[in-house]
């Protein structure tokens, strides 16, 4: 299979991912997540924290999605996906927040995506959420790494790898 970056909206996403991974060398515990992140582009364009924002019609992504599908416990500030078109229509009315108390449930995190996350199939959404996390987020939060390992276990993708650089 030729290596090309796909979007999570690809109709045969999971089949193509499995073929791609099967053609690669597997490490002890599976395929490193950077292979998946190299093959499938992240839908996450940016994050914004907003107060008193209606999440009606939006679906949970990020940590909130992982909270529903794995053992990861979410923060009080839920994370929702919103399309760039939806965001641009409401952005001028949103109350942006930079700092807030960690228990403040009036604040939510919005991940702006290029398309409506609710248009994805369950499998596409699972991969989209997985590739939306950055290497830094995975590195900084061991619980997140474990949740992603659990989420991607059936395709043998793991966060348990290390980079080695020699000079």
């Amino acid at each position: 299979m030729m290596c090309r970056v796909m979007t999570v909206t690809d109709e045969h996403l999971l089949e193509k991912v499995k073929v791609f991974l099967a053609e690669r060398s597997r490490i002890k515990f599976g395929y490193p997540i950077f292979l998946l992140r190299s093959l499938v582009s992240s839908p996450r364009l940016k994050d914004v924290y907003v107060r008193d924002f209606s999440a009606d019609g939006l679906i949970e992504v990020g940590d909130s999605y992982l909270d529903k599908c794995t053992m990861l416990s979410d923060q009080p500030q839920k994370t929702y996906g919103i399309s760039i078109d939806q965001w641009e229509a409401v952005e001028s009315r949103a109350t942006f927040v930079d700092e807030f108390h960690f228990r403040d449930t009036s604040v939510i995190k919005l991940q702006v995506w290029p398309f409506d996350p609710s248009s994805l199939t369950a499998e596409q959404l699972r991969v989209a959420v997985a590739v939306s996390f950055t290497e830094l987020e995975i590195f900084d939060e061991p619980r997140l790494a474990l949740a992603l390992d659990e989420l991607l276990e059936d395709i043998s993708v793991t966060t348990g790898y290390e980079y080695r650089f020699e000079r």
Side-chain angles (χ1 to χ4, degrees):
M1 170 190 238
M2 187 169 78
C3 184
R4 65 175 178 85
V5 178
M6 298 183 291
T7 65
V8 294
T9 57
D10 189 292
E11 184 179 353
H12 302 288
L13 178 67
L14 201 54
E15 294 85 17
K16 290 178 180 178
V17 164
K18 287 178 179 179
V19 168
F20 175 82
L21 293 175
E23 294 174 347
R24 300 300 176 284
S25 295
R26 182 183 159 138
I27 59 174
K28 186 176 181 178
F29 299 109
Y31 302 99
I33 195 168
F34 74 79
L35 289 176
L36 180 63
R37 294 183 74 243
S38 298
L39 179 64
V40 182
S41 63
S42 172
R44 183 174 163 191
L45 300 175
K46 68 177 178 177
D47 297 345
V48 292
Y49 286 90
V50 292
R51 183 179 313 275
D52 300 324
F53 187 90
S54 174
D56 292 343
L58 302 179
I59 64 168
E60 293 179 333
V61 298
D63 288 350
S64 298
Y65 176 88
L66 289 178
D67 181 49
K68 290 175 16 180
C69 299
T70 70
M71 299 288 285
L72 183 72
S73 180
D74 197 8
Q75 304 290 326
Q77 296 76 32
K78 299 298 178 197
T79 304
Y80 297 93
I82 188 169
S83 75
I84 187 118
D85 293 336
Q86 292 170 301
W87 174 243
E88 288 174 346
V90 297
E91 181 178 11
S92 63
R93 298 187 306 273
T95 305
F96 293 89
V97 180
D98 288 325
E99 295 181 15
F100 50 89
H101 190 275
F102 73 95
R103 289 194 180 134
D104 187 348
T105 57
S106 71
V107 174
I108 64 171
K109 178 179 173 181
L110 293 175
Q111 284 188 2
V112 180
W113 289 18
F115 51 82
D116 184 354
S118 66
S119 68
L120 299 176
T121 66
E123 287 301 319
Q124 289 170 326
L125 182 61
R126 178 171 69 117
V127 172
V129 168
V131 299
S132 71
F133 288 99
T134 66
E135 294 288 332
L136 181 59
E137 289 170 320
I138 295 168
F139 179 78
D140 273 353
E141 182 50 63
R143 296 177 319 111
L144 172 60
L146 292 173
L148 288 171
D149 285 350
E150 183 180 338
L151 185 71
L152 300 171
E153 183 177 31
D154 69 314
I155 57 173
S156 297
V157 171
T158 180
T159 59
Y161 66 92
E162 60 185 52
Y163 289 111
R164 291 190 183 190
F165 299 98
E166 294 184 22
R167 294 182 188 238

